[in-house]
Amino acid sequence: MATQNQNQQQQKKNKEDFSLKVTTPNINAGRVISGDRLPTAFDLVEKMQFLFARVVKAKRLCACQPCNPYVKVNLGSFTGTTRCLEKTTTPEWNHVFAFSRERIQVPVLEVVVWNKKCCDPDELLGSVGFTISDVPMRVPPDSPLAPQWYKLEDQKRVKLDVELMLSVWMGTQADEAFPEAWHSDATETCGENIAHTRSKVYISPRLWYLRVNVIQAQDLLLKLKSGNNSDIFIQGVVGNLALRSRFRKSNANPMWNEDLMFVVEEPFDDCLLLTIEQGSYSKHERVGSCVVPLKNVQQRTDATPPAGVWYNLHMPKENKGEEKVKFSSKLNMRISLDGGYHVLDEATHYTSDLRPSSRNLCKPSIGVLELGILNAVGLSPMKKDNRTDAFCVAKYGPKWVRTRTVVDSLSPKWNEQYTWEVYDPCTVITIAVFDNGNLSAAKSGGGKKPEEALDKRIGKVRIRLSTLESDKIYTHSYPLMNLQTQGAKKMGEIQLAVRFSCPSMLNVLQTYAQPLLPRMHYTSPLSRFQLDSLRNQAAVITTLRFRRAEPPLSKEIVEYMVDMGANVWSMRRGKAQFYRIAGLLSFLVSAAKQFHEIHSWKSTVTTVVSYFMFVFIIFLPKMILPSAFSFLFMVGIWRYRTRPRYPSHMDMSLSQADTASVEELEEEFDPFPSKFSGDNLKKRYDRLRAVAGRVVEVMADLATQGERVQSLLSWRDPRATVLFVIFCFVAVIVTCFVPFRILMLVWLSYVLRPPRFRSFDIPAVPQNFLRRMPAKSDSML
């Protein structure tokens, strides 16, 4: 029975269309003139008309006593309400309401001022009406429409002495009031949670690595009552994070020479608390401590070690009645803020930013990335009442954007456009769709369970910029796939418009010869364990920062965008990485089969031709390199006709998501540490998963390196392929006229050159070029 259900699910998956579709949206994609490469704003989305109403303030509401005024903006069945201000005669709201022109069915917009009563019905203070056909049209970059004072009327249309300052105009989503506007459909449904439906731009904090190199301690006053637990260790605390060093045998002058690595954010308001603890990890006593403000820590941009400093340790507080002992212990440390690193908060295979933390090391931008988030179709219901309140989140570099939430729609239309500066073309932008869980509070009230307020993931798209041609607009519909314990499911499709513009192609091509990461990653590399720990710290800091924003970005959004669970063992991912490696090695199997066919004279013509080719190479060895580069050159030219003309997307077959069993997916979604019972089983299982996660990362690295070699002639990155084809052409000419022996002599002399002529800090140009090649890791689910 279980096998029959799995077969039915497999047939259903096969019927679903997970392909990328070319679309032709009605966008006004203009071109730039006068040499300015910055494109026209909002030309990658469909224009949407809105009726905006800005309610600023009122005066002379109540002549005798203060009232509790609020304003209702009525347009047919849609109503927008301001907050109620208590006990005032001169209220100020400054609220903006937006009504979609497609939903306007009445000719008059009515603005009504009410006085809220506690026990009695609310009192009407006056109203004013606007004919929709007379509302002016405003198109940026026109200046905003100035608010004006309007006298209110009573129910008998008699002018009152009460005045209301407001402005009403027609505009589009390009209007600067659009992000802060309260949309009418969301106002009706969301109530007090209307703030969670707004679009917003977030800037993640600038992060630095804090390196604490603990050298040694001197003249420690150790506790004598600790018994056998006499080992000591260093504990460092920054904010809510605590790191511990290795144990050292108890003595008055211990030595560590160990690094504690933290992630800290500007403007460095926190302090570093370092304590020497005596005992075990579970039960220990403080021997001494010191506090170092981060603002006083030296900032460095290279691998030059800072000078060691002796810090005085403070004695723990003594109990009453005990004699206070003069404390003179010291701790020798090197503390520095390393700005030469890039703080990795994403996986290196599809990171969106590669710049170092220090602003002094950042290079100017090389182009502009524009993203138009148009709409989504066929979304699956995410709530119990078959509703979906969808919004999008896009991340590129430190800039995160969030679209407005379209309430109760399975085919939402956002039509919002955002722009990023690009500093490296070999980066990836991530776009994800979520269901707004905060809006369920408007209906379920206080009895809502906490897990029901989670922003549920619908699907994710990753686009590598190097696979985009310059100044070309890509309009496609991307499938939204969500991996669940029951299997992979298509949750709908999202339509995007993407354009990458660069003013100087030479600047873009120069980046292919530069190191992928900042220089300090190579001169003072960090271990894999340190990178994983620091990446988790960076995600926590970003989550805490965005949770304090309005509207906030939840923890589940940040973790899904930066793919925090990618380094945990998964049978599905393990098989996917294995098949990637098997696909790379398949050409060796094909070559062996071809040679076997030649050796066995399966085809006489093939065998004879191959024989004369080998004889030709033996007697003319100088033609080996020209022939090889000629072959690569011709292959690159030949594949130009069939080059990919669309961005990469999530691949179900490559991710092994369509063949994963329920047991494998349950293991993948099992939290870390495991939820299974049995302490011994749990420890062994968690240890196995942790080790296997590292194995998967190594397999992914191997597969990525091989796929980068394959992408040299695949035209997936057109600029890189052009450079490689040109290199092959030049190599053909050079190898034709320069003897092979001379080339080998030059190569051998270069490899065996004296150490004083070598640069071990920076990788070679071919290595830098190869690391920038795209791989199929962008398409991994």
Side-chain angles (χ1 to χ4, degrees):
M1 191 67 180
T3 305
Q4 183 178 0
N5 293 335
Q6 291 182 358
N7 294 335
Q8 292 177 356
Q9 293 179 0
Q10 185 67 31
Q11 293 176 1
K12 184 178 180 180
K13 291 179 184 178
N14 296 335
K15 293 179 181 179
E16 293 179 338
D17 186 8
F18 296 100
S19 62
L20 191 69
K21 301 176 183 177
V22 180
T23 59
T24 55
N26 184 22
I27 60 177
N28 185 21
R31 278 293 173 263
V32 192
I33 59 176
S34 301
D36 186 8
R37 303 292 290 188
L38 287 177
T40 307
F42 289 89
D43 61 343
L44 295 183
V45 293
E46 297 177 351
K47 185 180 295 185
M48 298 178 67
Q49 299 286 343
F50 290 91
L51 173 63
F52 292 95
R54 180 187 294 273
V55 181
V56 184
K57 57 184 177 180
K59 61 182 179 181
R60 297 191 297 272
L61 288 181
C62 299
C64 301
Q65 58 183 0
C67 57
N68 305 321
Y70 66 94
V71 179
K72 281 189 174 183
V73 183
N74 302 320
L75 185 64
S77 59
F78 297 102
T79 301
T81 307
T82 67
R83 67 183 185 276
C84 181
L85 303 180
E86 297 181 355
K87 298 180 181 181
T88 180
T89 58
T90 57
E92 292 188 11
W93 296 282
N94 198 25
H95 283 189
V96 181
F97 299 94
F99 300 87
S100 177
R101 190 167 186 175
E102 297 178 352
R103 301 187 178 185
I104 296 179
Q105 300 178 351
V106 293
V108 177
L109 173 71
E110 186 179 18
V111 182
V112 187
V113 183
W114 294 87
N115 179 22
K116 188 175 184 60
K117 299 287 188 177
C118 295
C119 301
D120 301 330
D122 293 349
E123 176 188 1
L124 176 65
L125 299 180
S127 63
V128 61
F130 297 88
T131 305
I132 301 300
S133 59
D134 296 336
V135 173
M137 182 71 186
R138 177 186 176 259
V139 179
D142 294 347
S143 299
L145 193 65
Q148 300 180 18
W149 288 102
Y150 294 89
K151 284 196 172 185
L152 302 184
E153 301 174 347
D154 58 10
Q155 294 180 347
K156 298 180 180 180
R157 298 302 178 185
V158 177
K159 293 289 184 180
L160 303 174
D161 195 29
V162 181
E163 289 185 289
L164 180 66
M165 177 181 281
L166 55 86
S167 57
V168 180
W169 73 96
M170 283 287 183
T172 65
Q173 70 269 39
D175 200 296
E176 61 268 12
F178 179 80
E180 61 176 307
W182 291 13
H183 292 265
S184 55
D185 53 350
T187 306
E188 290 285 335
T189 307
C190 306
E192 297 180 355
N193 290 328
I194 183 66
H196 292 273
T197 65
R198 293 180 179 176
S199 58
K200 187 67 69 174
V201 175
Y202 308 85
I203 301 298
S204 59
R206 182 175 287 271
L207 304 177
W208 289 60
Y209 286 151
L210 174 64
R211 185 189 297 267
V212 182
N213 178 238
V214 183
I215 303 175
Q216 63 176 343
Q218 188 177 37
D219 300 331
L220 295 181
L221 298 180
L222 302 177
K223 307 283 186 180
L224 299 178
K225 58 182 179 181
S226 299
N228 296 329
N229 295 330
S230 58
D231 291 341
I232 57 176
F233 62 92
I234 297 289
Q235 179 171 275
V237 179
V238 176
N240 298 324
L241 178 67
L243 297 180
R244 293 172 176 176
S245 69
R246 293 189 295 267
F247 280 105
R248 288 292 182 266
K249 291 297 182 181
S250 178
N251 65 84
N253 301 300
M255 296 190 65
W256 281 277
N257 195 20
E258 182 177 348
D259 286 342
L260 301 179
M261 296 290 295
F262 297 87
V263 176
V264 296
E265 59 177 320
E266 292 185 358
F268 309 126
D269 293 331
D270 293 332
C271 293
L272 170 65
L273 172 62
L274 286 161
T275 61
I276 299 182
E277 306 288 341
Q278 182 178 5
S280 62
Y281 279 156
S282 59
K283 185 178 181 181
H284 49 81
E285 295 180 272
R286 181 174 298 183
V287 177
S289 64
C290 67
V291 178
V292 182
L294 296 184
K295 291 184 177 180
N296 301 335
V297 175
Q298 175 186 351
Q299 299 181 9
R300 63 170 185 164
T301 57
D302 53 24
T304 303
V309 179
W310 286 96
Y311 294 88
N312 294 323
L313 297 178
H314 301 284
M315 185 72 176
K317 292 184 179 180
E318 302 288 341
N319 297 328
K320 292 183 179 181
E322 292 186 5
E323 182 181 356
K324 187 174 181 180
V325 180
K326 186 177 180 181
F327 200 65
S328 60
S329 299
K330 294 184 178 181
L331 183 62
N332 189 13
M333 296 181 294
R334 295 190 184 99
I335 306 178
S336 62
L337 289 166
D338 295 345
Y341 291 104
H342 167 68
V343 178
L344 293 167
D345 59 346
E346 303 168 289
T348 55
H349 301 317
Y350 37 82
T351 184
S352 61
D353 192 13
L354 300 168
R355 292 176 295 166
S357 300
S358 176
R359 294 181 177 87
N360 299 329
L361 300 179
C362 294
K363 299 179 180 179
S365 62
I366 61 172
V368 174
L369 170 66
E370 292 175 284
L371 173 67
I373 304 176
L374 284 79
N375 56 63
V377 294
L379 296 183
S380 300
M382 302 298 294
K383 293 184 172 63
K384 295 181 179 179
D385 53 356
N386 293 327
R387 292 173 55 247
T388 297
D389 306 320
F391 67 95
C392 291
V393 176
K395 179 191 183 303
Y396 183 76
K399 181 178 178 181
W400 300 54
V401 298
R402 170 182 179 148
T403 67
R404 73 187 190 281
T405 300
V406 179
V407 180
D408 194 12
S409 176
L410 301 182
S411 299
K413 293 183 179 180
W414 295 286
N415 286 305
E416 299 183 24
Q417 183 172 340
Y418 299 95
T419 305
W420 289 267
E421 287 187 329
V422 177
Y423 297 88
D424 196 305
C426 303
T427 47
V428 176
I429 182 174
T430 304
I431 307 101
V433 184
F434 297 90
D435 174 67
N436 198 329
N438 294 280
L439 303 188
S440 58
K443 289 190 174 183
S444 58
K448 175 178 62 67
K449 295 181 181 180
E451 56 268 17
E452 294 179 0
L454 298 178
D455 295 323
K456 299 178 181 179
R457 60 184 68 171
I458 297 179
K460 181 166 57 177
V461 176
R462 285 193 291 257
I463 301 175
R464 180 172 287 270
L465 270 61
S466 61
T467 62
L468 306 178
E469 298 181 13
S470 301
D471 299 320
K472 180 180 178 180
I473 299 176
Y474 293 84
T475 56
H476 294 85
S477 180
Y478 297 81
L480 295 173
M481 292 173 285
N482 191 6
L483 198 61
Q484 304 172 353
T485 55
Q486 294 80 17
K489 180 181 179 182
K490 182 178 179 180
M491 308 296 290
E493 296 181 359
I494 182 173
Q495 186 175 354
L496 304 174
V498 186
R499 176 172 57 199
F500 172 47
S501 306
C502 54
S504 174
M505 182 59 65
L506 181 61
N507 293 337
V508 178
L509 298 180
Q510 285 178 348
T511 60
Y512 285 88
Q514 298 173 359
L516 184 66
L517 294 172
R519 181 190 185 99
M520 206 164 175
H521 283 271
Y522 305 104
T523 58
S524 182
L526 301 173
S527 66
R528 173 67 68 176
F529 175 79
Q530 287 177 320
L531 290 175
D532 290 342
S533 174
L534 294 171
R535 184 185 171 196
N536 291 331
Q537 294 182 40
V540 170
I541 293 176
T542 304
T543 301
L544 294 177
R545 171 67 68 89
F546 287 164
R547 284 175 60 181
R548 297 194 298 266
E550 186 65 32
L553 276 184
S554 60
K555 177 183 178 181
E556 55 269 18
I557 292 179
V558 176
E559 291 182 349
Y560 186 55
M561 295 295 291
V562 300
D563 210 0
M564 285 305 299
N567 59 345
V568 180
W569 166 253
S570 166
M571 182 64 71
R572 178 191 63 84
R573 281 196 292 261
K575 291 193 299 184
Q577 310 300 353
F578 173 79
Y579 286 121
R580 287 174 64 190
I581 297 176
L584 293 173
L585 300 179
S586 61
F587 78 96
L588 296 177
V589 179
S590 300
K593 290 182 178 180
Q594 186 69 24
F595 181 79
H596 178 72
E597 293 178 357
I598 295 173
H599 179 265
S600 60
W601 287 76
K602 185 175 182 180
S603 174
T604 304
V605 176
T606 303
T607 303
V608 172
V609 172
S610 301
Y611 172 77
F612 283 106
M613 287 180 59
F614 290 141
V615 172
F616 176 77
I617 292 175
I618 292 173
F619 285 95
L620 293 175
K622 66 178 182 178
M623 296 302 296
I624 295 178
L625 292 180
S627 301
F629 286 115
S630 298
F631 174 76
L632 296 177
F633 174 77
M634 295 304 297
V635 170
I637 296 299
W638 178 259
R639 291 186 179 180
Y640 177 78
R641 300 181 304 105
T642 58
R643 67 188 185 279
R645 301 179 184 271
Y646 51 86
S648 57
H649 65 288
M650 300 295 182
D651 193 327
M652 288 283 293
S653 300
L654 180 66
S655 305
Q656 296 293 314
D658 52 348
T659 59
S661 63
V662 176
E663 291 78 9
E664 294 174 353
L665 295 175
E666 286 180 352
E667 178 193 34
E668 181 170 348
F669 285 95
D670 185 25
F672 192 86
S674 174
K675 65 181 180 181
F676 293 138
S677 60
D679 294 336
N680 294 332
L681 176 62
K682 181 178 179 181
K683 290 180 181 179
R684 290 196 299 266
Y685 184 54
D686 292 340
R687 189 182 302 113
L688 174 62
R689 294 174 66 194
V691 174
R694 302 290 187 271
V695 175
V696 171
E697 288 189 12
V698 174
M699 295 168 62
D701 291 339
L702 293 175
T704 300
Q705 297 301 329
E707 289 168 355
R708 285 172 177 170
V709 176
Q710 286 186 339
S711 64
L712 289 173
L713 297 174
S714 66
W715 291 95
R716 170 55 66 183
D717 185 347
R719 287 173 288 271
T721 305
V722 167
L723 289 176
F724 185 72
V725 169
I726 294 175
F727 166 77
C728 294
F729 179 74
V730 173
V732 170
I733 299 176
V734 172
T735 52
C736 283
F737 294 97
V738 179
F740 179 76
R741 296 181 179 86
I742 302 299
L743 293 177
M744 292 299 297
L745 178 62
V746 171
W747 176 79
L748 188 62
S749 301
Y750 177 78
V751 172
L752 301 179
R753 67 191 184 279
R756 62 183 300 178
F757 298 109
R758 302 181 187 181
S759 178
F760 294 100
D761 298 339
I762 301 301
V765 172
Q767 188 176 0
N768 296 331
F769 187 88
L770 186 62
R771 286 183 177 179
R772 293 179 174 277
M773 293 296 100
K776 294 181 180 179
S777 56
D778 306 335
S779 303
M780 289 293 297
L781 192 63

